[in-house]
Amino acid sequence: MSSPTNSDFRQAALDYHSQAPAGKLAIAATKPLFNQRDLSLAYSPGVAAPCEEIVRDPSTAFKYTARGNLVAVISNGTAVLGLGDIGALASKPVMEGKAVLFKKFAGVDVFDIEIDEKDPKKLVDVIAALEPTFGAINLEDIKAPDCFYVERELRKRMKIPVFHDDQHGTAITVAAAMLNALKVAGKKIEEIRLVTSGAGAAALACLNLLLKVGLKRENVFVTDLAGVVYEGREELMDDDKRQYVQRTKHRKLAEVIEGADAFLGLSAGGVLKPEMVAKMAANPVVFALANPNPEISPEDARSVRDDIIMATGRADYPNQVNNVLCFPYIFRGALDAGATTITDEMEIAVVRAIADLAQAEQSERVAAAYAGEKLSFGQEYLIPKPFDPRLMARIAPAVAQAAADSGVALRPISDMGAYRAKLEGFVYASGTTMKPIFDAAKRAPKKRVAYCEGEEERVLRAAQVVVDEGIARPTLIGRPAIIAQRIEKFGLRLKEELDYDIVNVEQDCRYREFWQSYHRMGERQGVTVQTAKIEMRRRLTLTGAMLLHTGDVDGMICGTWGTTQVHLPYIDQVIGKRPGGADSTAQDIPIFACMNGLVLPDRQVFLVDTHVNHDPTPEELTEITALAAEEMLRFGLKPKVALLSHSNFGSSNSPTALKMRRTLELLRVQAPWLEVDGEMHGDVALDGKQRAAMMPRSSLAGDANLLVFPNLDAANIAYNLLKTAAGGNISIGPVLLGAAQPVHILTPSATVRRIVNMTALTVADANAERSDEAVPFREQLLS
């Protein structure tokens, strides 16, 4: 992490952090506080009861307080990655950032604590005194060699896990990737010679862990700013570095690298030269992990070695070594098992879990989430993706089991299967839905996306993000002069031809071809020549649809003004519906529908049909449900469908209840791969335990995540209420279902963020056939 150099990005980062409320963290009450009785239970006099229980048995603090799910992220700001010794106060944004990763990925609560103390002994005293508050300690950005001393002393004094993530999180991810890289190279870790560049906390921790998984100490050669760490050297030496001294005449990296099997870089950009890589052994493994610039770029390394196996710390290259792969889940498992420390066995268990996961056959759910990417174990896939939803369910149980096996678990997990199921439930309610879509969009060949309202401020700002993130190449529909003026007015950096293409609505060479094509398509629906000419001049959505129809763009987004009904007729006329059919034997029912997703405090839910069909028939609802379920697979989510009604499992025979009942019958015949039940109340849909008690033989297990409504009024009202009251006014969609080509219709309330999200989804749509992705998953469910 380096200080942002791009002025626009820097200002965006400052704006992001300064939005009210300032910073990235807040606390929230977890119990109701609605009346005087609630207050008396939460504080005086009710709070005395748990206090007395903890006095009698200190272990009950994990039962009556948040301690069992609370981690301290602690730093003194002496070694902030990329920024150096910036002090405790300036490190606070980084620690808040680490805190939100804990919460997002693993549901772990965090207090960030910045301590203005550079004396290691005093720092230990301060941190150790905090033990009653926390279930674990995460040390962060403390300079070497102080970090080694601080962690060792705290582990001696504290009876909760203490983990310096800069050391161990990096080491675990490196070790997992190294084991897999050597497997691809056909080499054994016990036999390789490894050279490092860098001898800081992370590098030495990596070496220490690699020794524990088989690397031989005599085969390790360390280099740093002063050159090779050799026997007798005194410059820049400390006790932790001295354990890696070698009896050698070599003094420089260029000398010691010759014949090496592996290189591990945790130092600075550009230190490993192509000529050095050329001298390494066959099938060399190069981990160039310096950020933002690696020790050698993959392009330079491959220019001299086509047999190289390489990893970096960057997301824009294959094999990103990122400690977010492990640290949230390590703490999750340690907290849940009541671990008193982090043992070597726990760390090695995580290494094995990550390595094995990369080698495992990809589940259909992961393949759908990362559509268009090669996810098979090999040279460019050594470790799992950071957003692989299986990480939590693999790593946390491995940690918990190793804690129990090591004898450090105060609360061992008795039912590991149930524990894994609980963790999977969290993952799919954590709000990480869009990340796989973005990853797939970025890695695919660049697609062209048309923005019909190209002069709109939100669209232009979204286009800037799309260009910066490498998601797509925008095609802006509008007046070139107005677009250029507004780009300048809004302080954007977009350049025509370099960053985006333009369709001039006042004068475009394709106008004649477009209106003639449109006339041929619609002449039997009342579209005259004159109408076709006028509509092609004034209907931006029609222009975008023609661009998509002719192949001038790969996807299209419209709808930042007007209603869905304003835009949809043009899409229907030009793009059309894709063939319907919930399965191959069903009668095709081509239909459009809209699905919206919401990230609620404890779950994700998708709702249909929120914008198109006013009163769909059971046959139409069957098709809409199947389309929505298939789309959910693209987000890496297993659809669990509830058909909603005012009726609860036959409690009413009103027309809408009968409609949903008939829809269930059709789905069971035409889409047997779906997990679905109904008709049911909304609360029963979202509360699997309540449903199981009421209807123990329900074909739907657990909480539903796809809610199907009997009509447009119900779906749209429920969506907007949930979005406003519980969803933070953030939604995914509307996702247009049923179109023959990648196109989505937004709403006037669409934010820049939502436009960017839908751009990524449009690109993903353009790169993969949804039906092809859904079939294997259906087969898995049926088996």
Side-chain angles (χ1 to χ4, degrees):
M1 179 188 65
S2 60
S3 183
T5 55
N6 180 288
S7 60
D8 295 311
F9 182 82
R10 181 182 178 84
Q11 187 58 51
L14 293 174
D15 293 343
Y16 175 88
H17 284 80
S18 63
Q19 290 172 7
K24 299 187 285 284
L25 292 177
I27 64 168
T30 60
K31 302 296 185 293
L33 294 167
F34 298 137
N35 51 47
Q36 185 58 44
R37 178 173 172 78
D38 289 343
L39 293 176
S40 64
L41 290 171
Y43 196 52
S44 180
V47 75
C51 291
E52 291 167 349
E53 290 299 312
I54 294 170
V55 170
R56 279 192 287 269
D57 180 1
S59 69
T60 60
F62 293 102
K63 179 179 180 180
Y64 296 118
T65 75
R67 189 183 182 216
N69 194 49
L70 186 60
V71 169
V73 171
I74 297 179
S75 180
N76 63 357
T78 53
V80 178
L81 183 61
L83 300 175
D85 186 353
I86 60 174
L89 180 60
S91 75
K92 187 171 180 62
V94 181
M95 301 311 121
E96 285 189 356
K98 192 65 173 284
V100 297
L101 293 180
F102 269 107
K103 186 67 174 179
K104 188 72 168 179
F105 283 96
V108 174
D109 293 320
V110 167
F111 291 161
D112 66 292
I113 299 178
E114 294 73 36
I115 301 174
D116 190 12
E117 180 55 73
K118 294 186 177 182
D119 184 321
K121 293 182 178 180
K122 293 181 180 179
L123 186 60
V124 167
D125 289 338
V126 173
I127 298 172
L130 298 173
E131 182 169 352
T133 302
F134 298 100
I137 303 291
N138 179 85
L139 301 175
E140 192 80 16
D141 293 348
I142 301 172
K143 71 177 183 179
D146 294 356
C147 58
F148 302 118
Y149 170 83
V150 170
E151 185 185 56
R152 277 196 296 263
E153 291 302 308
L154 289 174
R155 286 191 171 188
K156 292 177 186 176
R157 293 173 57 172
M158 304 182 79
K159 295 181 176 62
I160 57 175
V162 177
F163 189 83
H164 186 213
D165 186 49
D166 296 334
Q167 296 180 56
H168 305 294
T170 302
I172 288 167
T173 312
V174 164
M178 183 64 71
L179 289 175
N180 281 351
L182 293 174
K183 186 169 186 175
V184 172
K187 300 180 180 182
K188 296 180 179 179
I189 194 169
E190 298 86 357
E191 300 172 357
I192 67 161
R193 187 162 73 87
L194 181 142
V195 174
T196 77
S197 174
L204 294 179
C206 289
L207 292 177
N208 293 341
L209 186 55
L210 287 170
L211 294 183
K212 294 169 186 173
V213 296
L215 182 66
K216 300 298 183 184
R217 161 67 187 79
E218 59 269 22
N219 294 336
V220 177
F221 292 79
V222 176
T223 69
D224 61 8
L225 288 172
V228 176
V229 176
Y230 62 88
E231 189 175 71
R233 196 186 102 173
E234 295 299 326
E235 185 181 3
L236 296 178
M237 294 296 288
D238 55 62
D239 291 340
D240 294 287
K241 198 181 299 184
R242 283 192 179 89
Q243 63 178 312
Y244 289 102
V245 297
Q246 282 280 16
R247 183 174 297 177
T248 176
K249 63 181 180 181
H250 297 311
R251 296 294 181 264
K252 296 180 180 179
L253 175 61
E255 299 169 352
V256 78
I257 195 73
E258 186 171 356
D261 298 284
F263 169 84
L264 173 60
L266 284 153
S267 54
V271 300
L272 184 66
K273 307 301 181 184
E275 56 268 25
M276 299 181 191
V277 175
K279 295 190 295 183
M280 295 180 69
N283 299 320
V285 175
V286 173
F287 283 13
L289 306 183
N291 259 321
N293 299 313
E295 284 79 3
I296 187 171
S297 72
E299 294 85 356
D300 287 344
R302 292 194 177 99
S303 71
V304 294
R305 297 297 294 264
D306 57 10
D307 60 342
I308 195 169
I309 300 162
M310 189 161 184
T312 70
R314 290 175 46 156
D316 53 345
Y317 291 116
N319 301 322
Q320 182 192 18
V321 175
N322 188 335
N323 59 1
V324 77
L325 276 173
C326 64
F327 76 78
Y329 316 121
I330 291 172
F331 279 91
R332 180 74 279 154
L335 289 169
D336 292 341
T340 58
T341 188
I342 303 291
T343 64
D344 290 345
E345 291 81 5
M346 293 162 72
E347 292 188 11
I348 293 172
V350 179
V351 172
R352 302 295 183 192
I354 294 174
D356 291 347
L357 183 55
Q359 297 179 45
E361 180 179 351
Q362 293 300 322
S363 72
E364 285 77 7
R365 192 181 301 177
V366 177
Y370 288 93
E373 295 191 49
K374 184 179 179 181
L375 296 179
S376 57
F377 177 66
Q379 190 172 8
E380 294 194 349
Y381 187 71
L382 302 175
I383 49 177
K385 299 286 185 182
F387 279 79
D388 190 322
R390 299 171 298 173
L391 283 165
M392 171 87 100
R394 293 289 187 100
I395 294 176
V399 170
Q401 187 62 57
D405 295 343
S406 305
V408 299
L410 297 179
R411 301 183 298 279
I413 305 296
S414 57
D415 187 340
M416 201 59 75
Y419 180 55
R420 288 191 182 93
K422 176 183 175 183
L423 296 174
E424 287 183 353
F426 168 80
V427 169
Y428 291 103
S430 64
T432 58
T433 310
M434 287 302 303
K435 186 59 169 66
I437 300 295
F438 272 90
D439 285 351
K442 290 179 183 180
R443 292 191 182 278
K446 191 66 63 66
K447 296 295 182 181
R448 301 157 299 170
V449 175
Y451 297 88
C452 296
E453 296 92 35
E455 298 177 4
E456 158 70 40
E457 178 180 356
R458 290 167 294 166
V459 170
L460 292 173
R461 292 190 182 280
Q464 183 70 71
V465 177
V466 166
V467 169
D468 289 344
E469 294 292 317
I471 297 169
R473 181 175 178 86
T475 295
L476 302 176
I477 300 174
R479 295 165 293 178
I482 299 300
I483 289 174
Q485 290 171 9
R486 292 184 176 178
I487 286 174
E488 182 177 2
K489 175 183 176 181
F490 304 142
L492 305 177
R493 292 169 283 104
L494 293 169
K495 302 294 183 184
E496 185 179 350
E497 294 186 355
L498 177 65
D499 297 319
Y500 68 92
D501 302 310
I502 200 162
V503 174
N504 186 348
V505 294
E506 296 177 325
Q507 183 178 7
D508 189 280
C509 63
R510 291 164 292 193
Y511 170 69
R512 181 181 180 85
E513 174 192 349
F514 281 3
W515 76 252
Q516 289 180 341
S517 295
Y518 179 54
H519 175 248
R520 286 193 297 270
M521 293 174 184
E523 60 184 344
R524 293 285 182 173
Q525 288 83 42
V527 178
T528 66
V529 169
Q530 192 63 26
T531 300
K533 290 181 177 180
I534 293 172
E535 292 289 82
M536 282 306 310
R537 284 291 188 199
R538 67 177 185 170
R539 300 297 184 188
L540 303 178
T541 299
L542 182 55
T543 302
M546 290 302 303
L547 289 169
L548 184 56
H549 172 72
T550 58
D552 290 316
V553 296
D554 303 294
M556 163 191 158
I557 290 176
C558 62
T560 56
W561 65 269
T563 65
T564 302
Q565 284 68 31
V566 168
H567 300 274
L568 193 56
Y570 301 106
I571 293 169
D572 192 15
Q573 286 179 310
V574 178
I575 303 302
K577 305 178 184 74
R578 71 173 187 154
D583 78 349
S584 59
T585 64
Q587 180 182 1
D588 284 357
I589 306 176
I591 192 169
F592 289 118
C594 277
M595 177 178 77
N596 278 88
L598 293 172
V599 180
L600 304 179
D602 62 343
R603 69 185 73 231
Q604 288 174 266
V605 294
F606 288 79
L607 302 85
V608 288
D609 168 20
T610 52
H611 290 87
V612 179
N613 299 283
H614 291 277
D615 189 16
T617 66
E619 291 75 17
E620 290 172 333
L621 278 175
T622 299
E623 185 62 25
I624 291 169
T625 302
L627 288 170
E630 289 179 12
E631 191 68 28
M632 285 182 65
L633 299 178
R634 298 179 47 67
F635 292 96
L637 298 172
K638 176 184 175 182
K640 299 171 78 68
V641 186
L643 306 177
L644 300 187
S645 172
H646 74 283
S647 173
N648 210 27
F649 297 110
S651 64
S652 169
N653 288 320
S654 70
T656 55
L658 293 174
K659 178 202 292 192
M660 303 312 281
R661 210 171 298 163
R662 176 59 179 158
T663 301
L664 178 64
E665 294 173 359
L666 292 172
L667 282 168
R668 284 178 170 166
V669 173
Q670 298 177 15
W673 54 277
L674 267 181
E675 184 179 346
V676 57
D677 205 352
E679 78 284 10
M680 68 179 78
H681 288 173
D683 58 344
V684 176
L686 297 178
D687 188 341
K689 292 181 180 178
Q690 181 184 351
R691 187 184 335 110
M694 173 185 297
M695 188 64 59
R697 286 179 294 280
S698 172
S699 54
L700 176 62
D703 301 345
N705 57 12
L706 175 55
L707 308 180
V708 181
F709 292 82
N711 55 49
L712 182 62
D713 281 344
N716 191 269
I717 291 168
Y719 159 66
N720 281 297
L721 286 174
L722 285 171
K723 180 184 71 169
T724 304
N729 279 313
I730 297 172
S731 73
I732 298 167
V735 178
L736 182 62
L737 306 173
Q741 290 182 266
V743 53
H744 294 290
I745 306 173
L746 301 173
T747 60
S749 63
T751 61
V752 171
R753 176 178 177 180
R754 200 191 309 176
I755 297 171
V756 173
N757 283 349
M758 295 310 295
T759 302
L761 183 59
T762 303
V763 172
D765 285 342
N767 278 287
E769 281 294 324
R770 286 167 284 191
S771 57
D772 290 344
E773 294 165 7
V775 169
F777 197 80
R778 294 181 189 178
E779 293 173 350
Q780 180 193 27
L781 292 176
L782 287 168
S783 65

